[in-house]
Amino acid sequence: MHRIGYFLTEGFQIMALGTQSVFEFANVVAKEQVYQVTNYSLTGGVVTSSIGASVNTLKATCESQADTWMVPGIVDPLARDSTVEELNFVKTAVAGAQRVGGMCSGAFVLAEAGLLEGRRVTTHWAYAGALKQRFPNTHVEPDHIFINDGSIWTSAGLSAAMDLVLGMVEKDLGHKVANRVARVLVMYHRRSGGQSQHSQMLKIAPKSDRVQTALDHARANLADDLSAEVLAKVVHLSERQFRRVFLFETGLSPAKAVEQLRLETARNMIQRGRHSLEIIARETGFRDRRHLREVFIRKLGVSPQSFRREAREGDAGE
């Protein structure tokens, strides 16, 4: 039996407990008790969530053991740091576990405990910048709904934690069980960790009409040459001036912005499933199917084929 321990602190986000349903229904689908879920806290007894709902817990001690520890965050992780006692328990508990999941701002707890050094992680988009600034040796990737780096799992918002836990179930019990659990829970489909928290097109918000015109041209002509030289001519600027203005207004180089726009359009086309990957690569400006796959895996952590398969299985399960 795989033991799941939820380490709760005062003010924890109540939605974190919803992820326990994934383990519950994994037992139902598997027709055996694969998972045993237990709530812990430093003091034991009643712990109050951010919304005021109370949960009974067992006292967390050095003898408390779990194969997987789940660590929820609080509504505002910048409002307070974890206590020394909380961090000491997390360090001790994780050392004897197979894996740990930092849900939403729970990533801050893991980082404070020194568990995220050199790791790829994500957290809620509103706090990704703060996590990166406070822990510069942690590789924060805000454009993922969850990331699995070895024994460390982290998710974006708490709805994304459902996908994270489904990912754990898939790792433990296989793809078919995970998808059956998703269908039982009436989730659209199990989203891969590479799915974005936000549209890249919405995140690129220039201040001037010239840069906006360049982006509009790029969106409408993804299959064409969209080098900085070409885009600069579209808006009647020198290439050097265009690069400088574009970077200042968007925080991205023209090449990076174009790649993001191409990737998002390709992702949407793959999810709709109407065209082959060869056609999608050609229409979105990638050199070929192999180039599309390389960028997909590098940026999203999943292959186009896997992404399409999950989308189709989700549609079939509706």
Side-chain angles (χ1 to χ4, degrees), residues 95-158:
Q98 295 177 19
R99 64 190 174 200
V100 59
M103 297 181 284
C104 192
S105 62
F108 280 81
V109 180
L110 302 187
E112 290 167 9
L115 301 175
L116 302 187
E117 290 280 317
R119 299 280 192 171
R120 294 176 55 246
V121 303
T122 192
T123 190
H124 192 283
W125 60 266
Y127 297 106
L131 183 65
K132 186 174 183 178
Q133 184 176 17
R134 289 180 60 179
F135 305 98
N137 293 328
T138 297
H139 304 298
V140 181
E141 300 184 16
D143 191 38
H144 287 69
I145 60 171
F146 75 85
I147 290 177
N148 168 213
D149 186 346
S151 62
I152 304 293
W153 296 64
T154 51
S155 78
L158 282 171

Side-chain angles (χ1 to χ4, degrees), residues 20-279:
Q20 296 182 2
S21 295
V22 178
F23 294 121
E24 175 187 5
F25 282 97
N27 289 340
V28 172
V29 169
K31 297 181 180 179
E32 63 176 300
Q33 190 171 6
V34 179
Y35 299 107
Q36 175 182 303
V37 179
T38 306
N39 293 320
Y40 292 92
S41 67
L42 280 182
T43 58
V46 173
V47 177
T48 305
S49 70
S50 58
I51 202 170
S54 298
V55 178
N56 283 319
T57 64
L58 297 182
K59 184 175 181 178
T61 67
C62 293
E63 288 71 39
S64 300
Q65 295 182 346
D67 301 298
T68 295
W69 283 100
M70 303 297 293
V71 181
I74 58 177
V75 172
D76 183 359
L78 305 183
R80 73 167 178 87
D81 292 331
S82 301
T83 67
V84 173
E85 293 78 11
E86 289 167 352
L87 295 180
N88 285 341
F89 173 76
V90 169
K91 292 176 186 177
T92 301
V94 170
Q98 295 177 19
R99 64 190 174 200
V100 59
M103 297 181 284
C104 192
S105 62
F108 280 81
V109 180
L110 302 187
E112 290 167 9
L115 301 175
L116 302 187
E117 290 280 317
R119 299 280 192 171
R120 294 176 55 246
V121 303
T122 192
T123 190
H124 192 283
W125 60 266
Y127 297 106
L131 183 65
K132 186 174 183 178
Q133 184 176 17
R134 289 180 60 179
F135 305 98
N137 293 328
T138 297
H139 304 298
V140 181
E141 300 184 16
D143 191 38
H144 287 69
I145 60 171
F146 75 85
I147 290 177
N148 168 213
D149 186 346
S151 62
I152 304 293
W153 296 64
T154 51
S155 78
L158 282 171
S159 63
M162 297 289 287
D163 299 286
L164 178 150
V165 175
L166 275 168
M168 290 181 172
V169 169
E170 179 176 26
K171 193 173 186 68
D172 297 338
L173 304 177
H175 185 73
K176 289 184 178 179
V177 171
N179 274 281
R180 286 182 63 192
V181 172
R183 284 158 54 183
V184 169
L185 292 173
V186 198
M187 297 174 67
Y188 170 62
H189 61 83
R190 191 190 72 75
R191 299 179 294 174
S192 65
Q195 289 199 343
S196 177
Q197 294 192 47
H198 288 292
S199 166
Q200 296 296 339
M201 295 183 181
L202 293 177
K203 291 202 299 185
I204 302 175
K207 301 176 179 63
S208 71
D209 290 341
R210 282 185 170 181
V211 174
Q212 185 62 61
T213 297
L215 285 171
D216 289 343
H217 176 84
R219 292 186 182 105
N221 300 276
L222 289 176
D224 297 342
D225 179 5
L226 295 176
S227 64
E229 180 183 4
V230 169
L231 293 177
K233 289 180 180 178
V234 170
V235 296
H236 310 293
L237 292 174
S238 69
E239 182 178 348
R240 180 179 179 182
Q241 185 180 13
F242 175 72
R243 287 180 182 276
R244 179 177 58 80
V245 172
F246 194 97
L247 180 62
F248 175 76
E249 293 193 15
T250 68
L252 298 171
S253 68
K256 287 291 185 184
V258 168
E259 182 182 72
Q260 288 188 1
L261 294 175
R262 282 173 166 155
L263 181 61
E264 179 157 320
T265 301
R267 179 168 54 193
N268 290 337
M269 292 179 70
I270 290 170
Q271 190 165 9
R272 289 195 296 269
R274 298 173 184 171
H275 302 290
S276 68
L277 294 180
E278 289 82 359
I279 291 175

